[in-house]
Amino acid sequence: MMNMFLGENTFKQGIRNYIDKHKFSNAEQDDLWNSLTEEAHRQGTLDKNLTVKLIMDTWTLKTGYPVLKVVRDYSADTVTLSQERFLTVKSNDTDKNSCWWIPLTMTTSTEADFNQTKAKSWLNCENNNLTLPLAKDNEWVIYNMQMAGIFRVSYDTRNWMGIISMLNDPNKYKTIHKLNRVQLIDDSFSFAQIGDLDYGITFQLLKYLKHEKEYTPWMAALDGFGPINKLMKRTPNQGVFQNYMQRMLSSVYSEFRDMTVELNGFEQIRFKNLVTAEACRHRIKDCTEQALDLFSKWMKTTDPDKNNILPRELKPIIYCQAIKYGGVDEWDFLWERYQRSNVGSEKAKLLSALGCSSETWLLNRYLNWSLDNSIIRKQDAITVFYSVASSDVGFYVAKDFLYRKISDISEYFQPRGDRVGRYVKVIGSQMKTKEELDEIQSFINKSSAYLKGADLTINQTIETIKINTEWTTKFYHKIINHMV
């Protein structure tokens, strides 16, 4: 952020000055701020009345980060800017006086210049409610060019709709810079999740993804779908969400569908991995079929440990799909690969994939093995439990295992009670109804003797379930309505 509002030349020279001045000696934060301020004043990139310390102390010495609230008055041709601390859980005790020096960069539908990342003005603690002229013939205004500042931006509904109209035009969506598309997606999800934005606006914005070709906006979108995916798991409408995601992914998946094609460039490789993983997770048929076919061919090679023919970057996806839709032969084959492998990163992938099975008896056997140090290392036991609990079928198997085997788990990890608490956390973090809260609370009460030393984790887990339950009650049906 400093690099943006000071300018790259000023920032780099200020750092050089700081290092040169304090070489072979001690320094503190204010020394860095002073060096940057001196250079910025020398080059004229920062107003003489401002210092880097004045600005940055509001960012480095305070908890959290702000939301820049942008509200347009279309009858008066103005825009009013204000700020507040962003909180995922609202509290009546929120510090209303929290404020930051926010660098203001913006553009409009008329200008559409996203390259001006250097702040021309500031929203600060002395002037925390700023009204500026803005012609109403601008369909939209966007603040924080290229996400140069570390803050979220909220808009009034009409402005959101203007942005959405631009994004949903396949010939114009690139007018908005890629990084600002990322922020719009991420912010809309975040505001909707806490109830500050109607999910209808978020889902209308997401419609533009059918013609999005860049990695980072898709990464933001699929990350934003994470909480919704957890909300929909094991509910009667999980299939509705799955069908929605298949429609969302169909266009971009067609760009990467052939698993055997190797791509060049870090970002393209990551993009393919991301899309392929989501396509298989949401049961796009072609993705699953390719994974199973490749795994079958690998099983038939003469020396599968030396001749792993699977695309290197897609191994975890293919492993999981093969175990999920396969049977004992596939499971035993991959378990043998785990036993024979001496590469730590590969063993970790294999260990996680083995928990993808849909066969309850295989999962139960796997969980029992995780408490035998001669079969699976003790430090890997929680990895096994997490991998099993993460799947739809495995959640119930893992929960039952925890309830039945709590005494064995506690004895296995003695005297580390905190590790037992992690088992409860894995299950509890996926719970989202009052019935589930009552169920696990009853289990905790009955098993208190086995949970000594895990008080903090247990309390955090209970609080997480309460938050999940409240969010489910508020948003479950609203979200479903936007997916059908």
Side-chain angles (χ1 to χ4, degrees):
M1 189 172 79
M2 286 191 295
N3 183 62
M4 292 296 192
F5 74 72
L6 292 175
E8 189 166 353
N9 290 336
T10 298
F11 179 73
K12 287 184 175 179
Q13 188 56 51
I15 295 293
R16 293 189 193 102
N17 296 344
Y18 165 75
I19 293 173
D20 186 58
K21 183 176 181 179
H22 297 283
K23 61 184 178 184
F24 310 124
S25 65
N26 297 325
E28 58 184 16
Q29 178 173 280
D30 285 358
D31 295 318
L32 175 60
W33 299 159
N34 290 337
S35 293
L36 290 168
T37 299
E38 290 169 6
E39 186 60 30
H41 288 166
R42 189 184 70 80
Q43 293 193 25
T45 55
L46 187 66
D47 191 290
K48 295 288 186 181
N49 297 321
L50 299 180
T51 66
V52 173
K53 175 178 171 59
L54 177 67
I55 296 166
M56 292 307 300
D57 276 0
T58 66
W59 292 92
T60 61
L61 302 181
K62 288 187 178 181
T63 302
Y65 59 89
V67 176
L68 175 65
K69 304 185 77 173
V70 180
V71 180
R72 296 174 65 182
D73 185 331
Y74 296 89
S75 60
D77 286 0
T78 61
V79 59
T80 299
L81 309 175
S82 59
Q83 62 169 291
E84 64 181 33
R85 182 180 170 190
F86 178 76
L87 293 169
T88 54
V89 179
K90 297 296 179 70
S91 169
N92 294 329
D93 300 326
T94 301
D95 182 6
K96 301 293 184 182
N97 297 318
S98 290
C99 69
W100 291 258
W101 275 72
I102 299 179
L104 297 178
T105 58
M106 56 86 74
T107 192
T108 65
S109 59
T110 304
E111 299 169 352
D113 179 9
F114 288 83
N115 294 318
Q116 182 52 263
T117 58
K118 190 174 184 302
K120 293 182 179 178
S121 58
W122 298 81
L123 186 65
N124 58 56
C125 301
E126 298 169 0
N127 188 12
N128 199 18
N129 203 293
L130 185 62
T131 299
L132 302 168
L134 182 67
K136 61 174 170 287
D137 60 355
N138 286 298
E139 294 180 13
W140 49 261
V141 59
I142 292 177
Y143 277 80
N144 198 20
M145 299 300 88
Q146 298 186 38
M147 294 180 71
I150 310 168
F151 54 90
R152 299 193 183 279
V153 187
S154 72
Y155 302 99
D156 59 85
T157 299
R158 182 170 166 181
N159 197 77
W160 273 115
M161 297 311 295
I163 293 169
I164 289 168
S165 177
M166 173 68 77
L167 286 173
N168 278 296
D169 187 330
N171 298 316
K172 294 182 180 179
Y173 79 98
K174 288 185 179 179
T175 301
I176 298 175
H177 193 277
K178 174 175 66 176
L179 293 178
N180 284 99
R181 301 200 300 272
V182 170
Q183 176 154 32
L184 290 166
I185 293 168
D186 188 54
D187 286 351
S188 67
F189 266 121
S190 297
F191 295 140
Q193 189 174 348
I194 62 176
D196 284 353
L197 184 69
D198 190 286
Y199 262 110
I201 292 176
T202 302
F203 278 92
Q204 285 189 62
L205 186 150
L206 294 171
K207 288 179 181 178
Y208 103 91
L209 288 170
K210 62 181 176 289
H211 44 253
E212 177 61 77
K213 304 296 183 185
E214 296 284 351
Y215 167 59
T216 45
W218 268 106
M219 181 177 66
L222 294 175
D223 185 59
F225 276 119
I228 297 176
N229 183 42
K230 288 180 69 175
L231 170 64
M232 295 298 162
K233 286 181 75 171
R234 308 187 318 279
T235 71
N237 285 302
Q238 183 173 356
V240 174
F241 177 62
Q242 183 175 291
N243 291 337
Y244 172 81
M245 291 303 297
Q246 288 176 358
R247 296 194 302 271
M248 286 283 292
L249 291 162
S250 61
S251 178
V252 70
Y253 175 68
S254 67
E255 301 286 327
F256 298 111
R257 63 164 300 276
D258 191 340
M259 289 186 179
T260 60
V261 173
E262 293 191 10
L263 300 177
N264 295 318
F266 173 78
E267 192 166 294
Q268 281 298 101
I269 292 171
R270 294 286 295 173
F271 197 4
K272 180 174 183 175
N273 293 353
L274 178 72
V275 170
T276 304
E278 290 296 322
C280 282
R281 183 174 295 120
H282 295 292
R283 302 190 180 188
I284 289 181
K285 188 177 180 181
D286 176 75
C287 186
T288 300
E289 288 177 347
Q290 284 194 68
L292 298 181
D293 181 60
L294 286 169
F295 193 87
S296 176
K297 290 177 179 176
W298 181 37
M299 288 180 68
K300 294 173 183 175
T301 57
T302 52
D303 190 343
D305 296 306
K306 289 184 179 180
N307 301 311
N308 190 330
I309 63 171
L310 305 182
R312 183 177 61 231
E313 305 293 341
L314 299 178
K315 282 181 184 179
I317 303 165
I318 296 172
Y319 291 164
C320 187
Q321 290 295 296
I323 296 302
K324 182 176 182 178
Y325 295 104
V328 65
D329 290 342
E330 287 78 10
W331 202 97
D332 287 346
F333 172 81
L334 206 65
W335 173 250
E336 187 176 353
R337 306 286 73 73
Y338 168 77
Q339 292 178 304
R340 291 174 178 271
S341 176
N342 58 9
V343 179
S345 59
E346 180 67 10
K347 288 179 79 73
K349 293 173 186 175
L350 294 166
L351 204 65
S352 293
L354 288 164
C356 293
S357 178
S358 299
E359 296 283 353
T360 56
W361 74 271
L362 282 173
L363 295 176
N364 272 305
R365 184 180 72 175
Y366 194 32
L367 289 170
N368 279 305
W369 284 359
S370 72
L371 298 184
D372 186 338
N373 197 36
S374 66
I375 302 176
I376 294 173
R377 297 183 309 170
K378 182 178 287 190
Q379 61 263 45
D380 291 331
I382 189 64
T383 300
V384 171
F385 188 78
Y386 178 82
S387 69
V388 171
S390 296
S391 72
D392 297 340
V393 174
F395 172 81
Y396 296 104
V397 176
K399 183 177 70 169
D400 178 67
F401 179 81
L402 173 63
Y403 290 178
R404 288 187 298 104
K405 295 278 191 175
I406 184 62
S407 60
D408 294 338
I409 295 170
S410 176
E411 182 180 352
Y412 188 59
F413 286 109
Q414 283 299 322
R416 294 291 302 275
D418 57 316
R419 291 194 177 183
V420 184
R422 290 168 66 186
Y423 278 71
V424 180
K425 182 179 180 180
V426 167
I427 296 299
S429 65
Q430 299 183 65
M431 291 181 163
K432 50 186 176 286
T433 66
K434 187 178 184 305
E435 291 75 17
E436 288 178 318
L437 174 61
D438 293 341
E439 174 192 310
I440 201 167
Q441 186 69 72
S442 175
F443 163 73
I444 290 168
N445 293 338
K446 292 177 183 176
S447 308
S448 57
Y450 305 115
L451 298 172
K452 293 177 181 178
D455 293 349
L456 178 61
T457 302
I458 296 298
N459 291 336
Q460 289 174 339
T461 299
I462 294 299
E463 186 63 27
T464 296
I465 301 171
K466 288 178 179 178
I467 293 170
N468 290 349
T469 301
E470 183 180 354
W471 189 63
T472 301
T473 303
K474 282 184 179 179
F475 300 117
Y476 177 74
H477 293 292
K478 291 181 180 178
I479 291 172
I480 289 297
N481 290 336
H482 295 298
M483 289 183 180
V484 293

